[in-house]
Amino acid sequence: MKSVKSLSRVVIENLIFFIVLVVLSFLLPRLIPGSPIYGLADNTHVLNMSVPEEVLSRYKEYYAPEKTLAEQFILNVEQLLKGNLGYSFHFGLPVSDIIKGRIGWTLLLSISAILISTMIAVSMGIKAAMKKGSFMDKLLVFLVILMEAVPIFLFGLLIQMAFAYKLRLFPAQGAYSIGMDHETPGFFMDALKHSVLPLMALTFSQTPSFLLLVRNTAIRVKKEPYVEMAVYNDIDEKTIKYKYIVKNCLPELIGKLNIHIIYAIVGTLFIEVIFSYPGMGELMKIAAGARDYCLIQGIFLLTGLYGIAVNIILGFLTNIIFPRMRA
Amino acid sequence: MNKAALLIALIMLLISLLSPYIAPYDPEDFSFDSLMPPDEEHILGTNSLGQDLFSQLLYGFRFSTIIALVSAFISTFIGTVLAMLCSYYGGWVEAFIMKLTDFFLIIPEIIVIMLFSVFAGPGLYNIIAAIALFSWSKVTRILRTKSNLAIKDEGAQYTLLLKGNLADVMRKIWPQIYPAAATMFVLQCSKAILYEANLSFLGIGDPTVKSWGRLIRQAMDYEGLFFEGAYLWWLLPPIACIVIFVGAMSLISFDMNKETIR
């Protein structure tokens, strides 16, 4: 009974977030003074190139600037329910199609980076916590703090320079070789080879803060009476490490993972641009550069939806795994 | 540690104030040879348009610090006021404001900032507004606990008892949460610099606002950046400036942290 109550609470909370998201994506572009939505009818020259009549009429149909705000909102919600995110005039394609083609690449990159950095952070963080105060631990903490201050694009640039331009071990740009057939088995290897460097940069930037969190949480858990009791009872170290310590660090770890996964779409921005990776980050850059309004709104909505979905799933997970975390 | 970071921050501020006087050339002047490596006349060489990179970097100090300071001030102000409203009204007002801060935990701030600044169009004020309006959530989340404690204090409670209005209570709470607010301001500064770099990197914002982020973007747009070694004096200096600025800010806040946010 209690679990059903707290699960439904998670759903209701996220429903509110969803409504706020839709309202924000509707109102923000319309309330900003001098918004281009209202000026578009007079200004057909976007980026010094005239927009074809057909695109403009689709655009007007979607935003309907001549109607009242309430009517526009109803129209907007109707379109969203149909899955219509508008029409990109830069690509000349529906926004949803463009995003569909790209989101996979980004998720592939960021989810594998999260998996790798989680494995590194947990194994090394626990090790450092067990030997707290040793030389290795101090060195690790120092390196981690140093790495935390380095912005992600510096990692990307340095890795690209070293491994792609100087050593020529891996390709520097793209997600696959141009002209590669998507059906052949060689394509998989090719894509894998292309993803090594961006993956490396992402992992480098995500691991430090995660490692520090694991270490500090594990040190706190290590002082709990049940762990000390286990040590006195001569339970072997492996069991203590994984059954007693890691398991009780999980709430913090899931909290951190939540943030990482939510930033999975936006966080790859710099890396994708540096490595010309055809994902959402690069799309964002193109959309912003071309002032492709529908596309930017679409990306915003989708990132928000994705964040809410992640929030629901992880909320459920925490509820099921840790009954004591229930609000 | 603290003093060194403070000194670095002061020097950076001084450079940004004095940049028109110490810059050897006009940053927009493109009459020099293009892509010159560093020498005595051009300390950091020139870019592909033939502009002096050292002067551009110095002017970059100006734009970046203005954006950082002003937007951090506004966002800290918004965040602090909302936190105080939370503890004064409590109830549904507090619940509503806290839900709003939760919203920004789920929707990355940068994407809201991006949406706003694309539709707002170019301009220094629009960049500042975009960053300031959507990055206050963390300030509120941290300061609310502080002001909830402060309002239980005798001074604030007497004011409430004497039917003091919102402004009176705020005046009583402020001295208690001021140290935490100052720490948050420093943290907001480094956040604002990074958000601005993100926006410039995406090409949003004003092309005439030559901040560090814009310099990075210009360097990245040049095709032969890595083949001719130009990245050493074109790309790395603005990145180094951002790293030093953010590093100094986090060191300062780290030391302030010890006494305030616990």
Side-chain angles (χ1 to χ4, degrees):
Chain A
M1 195 54 217
K2 206 179 165 194
S3 81
V4 173
K5 213 171 159 190
S6 81
L7 286 186
S8 60
R9 202 191 136 109
V10 171
V11 173
I12 289 169
E13 245 182 40
N14 284 290
L15 209 64
I16 297 172
F17 289 143
F18 176 69
I19 293 167
V20 174
L21 176 78
V22 172
V23 171
L24 203 64
S25 96
F26 169 79
L27 277 184
L28 212 50
R30 285 170 177 80
L31 289 187
I32 293 165
S35 169
I37 288 177
Y38 296 105
L40 207 89
D42 321 315
N43 178 16
T44 48
H45 294 273
V46 182
L47 265 187
N48 295 326
M49 68 180 187
S50 70
V51 177
E53 195 57 38
E54 191 210 329
V55 173
L56 195 70
S57 65
R58 273 177 191 251
Y59 204 73
K60 272 191 197 152
E61 200 183 306
Y62 186 71
Y63 282 117
E66 71 284 348
K67 291 184 180 158
T68 62
L69 217 55
E71 280 173 327
Q72 282 184 41
F73 185 68
I74 292 166
L75 188 78
N76 189 289
V77 172
E78 268 174 18
Q79 301 277 24
L80 283 183
L81 287 178
K82 278 188 224 153
N84 179 10
L85 293 175
Y87 191 79
S88 152
F89 58 73
H90 179 78
F91 289 97
L93 287 167
V95 168
S96 43
D97 288 359
I98 301 169
I99 293 178
K100 230 182 269 164
R102 287 194 172 239
I103 199 160
W105 288 111
T106 294
L107 287 182
L108 173 81
L109 202 61
S110 46
I111 297 296
S112 21
I114 289 169
L115 285 179
I116 296 172
S117 64
T118 308
M119 280 192 282
I120 298 175
V122 171
S123 61
M124 288 178 77
I126 297 284
K127 222 172 247 169
M130 297 302 276
K131 297 197 173 88
K132 188 194 162 211
S134 71
F135 175 70
M136 276 310 290
D137 174 49
K138 277 179 188 156
L139 187 74
L140 200 70
V141 171
F142 177 73
L143 280 179
V144 161
I145 289 176
L146 205 69
M147 273 168 76
E148 248 193 329
V150 180
I152 185 165
F153 45 94
L154 197 57
F155 276 127
L157 288 170
L158 290 176
I159 285 174
Q160 189 185 39
M161 218 157 62
F163 291 95
Y165 292 131
K166 293 265 173 334
L167 297 174
R168 299 187 179 278
L169 282 177
F170 296 101
Q173 311 253 296
Y176 46 85
S177 305
I178 295 160
M180 203 67 177
D181 190 4
H182 284 225
E183 306 294 320
T184 56
F187 179 76
F188 178 72
M189 281 311 291
D190 188 55
L192 201 68
K193 219 172 160 186
H194 276 83
S195 70
V196 168
L197 293 187
L199 201 59
M200 198 148 86
L202 267 180
T203 313
F204 264 125
S205 75
Q206 277 178 359
T207 312
S209 64
F210 207 166
L211 208 160
L212 215 56
L213 180 94
V214 174
R215 176 187 172 269
N216 293 344
T217 318
I219 285 175
R220 203 205 63 222
V221 173
K222 213 176 96 182
K223 285 189 198 126
E224 297 278 343
Y226 53 81
V227 177
E228 277 182 9
M229 196 61 205
V231 176
Y232 293 140
N233 283 345
D234 236 5
I235 294 171
D236 69 310
E237 207 182 306
K238 225 175 182 174
T239 319
I240 293 179
K241 231 172 161 176
Y242 292 105
K243 275 213 166 138
Y244 287 68
I245 297 181
V246 175
K247 228 175 167 181
N248 284 297
C249 291
L250 277 178
E252 271 92 346
L253 297 193
I254 289 187
K256 182 83 179 161
L257 265 181
N258 195 347
I259 297 172
H260 274 315
I261 298 176
I262 280 173
Y263 273 80
I265 292 184
V266 188
T268 54
L269 169 69
F270 280 105
I271 297 300
E272 281 184 20
V273 172
I274 288 168
F275 291 99
S276 309
Y277 206 80
M280 294 294 286
E282 221 215 5
L283 187 67
M284 253 186 262
K285 187 177 168 236
I286 296 170
R291 304 212 164 268
D292 196 334
Y293 300 111
C294 279
L295 189 51
I296 288 168
Q297 244 183 315
I299 294 173
F300 172 76
L301 255 177
L302 219 95
T303 321
L305 257 183
Y306 167 80
I308 290 171
V310 171
N311 203 35
I312 291 180
I313 292 169
L314 286 182
F316 275 16
L317 263 183
T318 346
N319 257 305
I320 291 162
I321 305 177
F322 311 104
R324 64 180 159 169
M325 295 286 285
R326 279 174 200 155
Chain B
M1 203 87 144
N2 188 1
K3 278 192 183 129
L6 215 57
L7 196 68
I8 291 171
L10 278 177
I11 290 173
M12 287 188 126
L13 211 63
L14 211 62
I15 293 176
S16 66
L17 281 175
L18 298 176
S19 57
Y21 305 104
I22 37 179
Y25 305 99
D26 180 3
E28 302 296 324
D29 184 0
F30 48 85
S31 62
F32 309 108
D33 291 337
S34 61
L35 288 170
M36 275 197 289
D39 56 22
E40 294 90 51
E41 276 173 39
H42 301 283
I43 300 176
L44 290 174
T46 56
N47 64 13
S48 58
L49 294 172
Q51 293 165 324
D52 182 51
L53 282 171
F54 185 60
S55 310
Q56 289 211 326
L57 189 71
L58 288 181
Y59 272 85
F61 270 89
R62 184 154 248 217
F63 287 119
S64 289
T65 43
I66 285 178
I67 291 170
L69 290 176
V70 176
S71 52
F73 180 79
I74 300 173
S75 66
T76 315
F77 181 78
I78 297 175
T80 313
V81 169
L82 285 177
M84 291 203 264
L85 285 181
C86 273
S87 9
Y88 181 77
Y89 288 110
W92 70 267
V93 175
E94 184 173 19
F96 177 76
I97 293 174
M98 291 328 283
K99 266 275 135 356
L100 217 55
T101 66
D102 284 348
F103 179 75
F104 284 107
L105 273 182
I106 296 176
I107 316 297
E109 281 170 0
I110 180 66
I111 198 133
V112 190
I113 293 174
M114 193 183 95
L115 183 77
F116 182 91
S117 46
V118 164
F119 278 95
L124 184 63
Y125 296 115
N126 285 339
I127 300 171
I128 292 175
I131 297 174
L133 286 178
F134 299 105
S135 61
W136 47 263
S137 65
K138 196 172 180 191
V139 182
T140 305
R141 225 174 307 131
I142 287 181
L143 289 190
R144 187 193 61 135
T145 17
K146 290 269 156 194
S147 70
N148 270 352
L149 280 178
I151 208 165
K152 300 229 167 58
D153 247 40
E154 279 181 1
Q157 286 297 324
Y158 280 134
T159 322
L160 280 175
L161 217 62
L162 294 170
K163 299 265 182 283
N165 58 10
L166 181 62
D168 295 328
V169 178
M170 276 186 176
R171 223 170 289 141
K172 284 275 185 264
I173 301 177
W174 172 244
Q176 304 221 20
I177 60 171
Y178 158 73
T183 313
M184 286 319 290
F185 171 72
V186 174
L187 284 175
Q188 291 295 103
C189 274
S190 59
K191 203 167 163 187
I193 281 270
L194 289 176
Y195 281 154
E196 193 279 328
N198 263 294
L199 287 184
S200 301
F201 193 79
L202 281 169
I204 308 173
D206 201 330
T208 59
V209 176
K210 290 263 164 48
S211 60
W212 292 328
R214 181 67 58 176
L215 284 178
I216 294 173
R217 164 73 194 243
Q218 273 178 346
M220 297 278 300
D221 278 348
Y222 177 60
E223 293 278 325
L225 188 68
F226 291 102
F227 299 110
E228 295 155 26
Y231 65 91
L232 275 178
W233 51 86
W234 192 357
L235 182 62
L236 290 189
I239 291 183
C241 284
I242 292 181
V243 173
I244 293 171
F245 186 90
V246 173
M249 288 295 148
S250 16
L251 280 180
I252 293 172
S253 71
F254 190 69
D255 274 12
M256 290 164 90
N257 221 345
K258 276 184 190 153
E259 289 129 37
T260 53
I261 300 176
R262 264 297 115 122

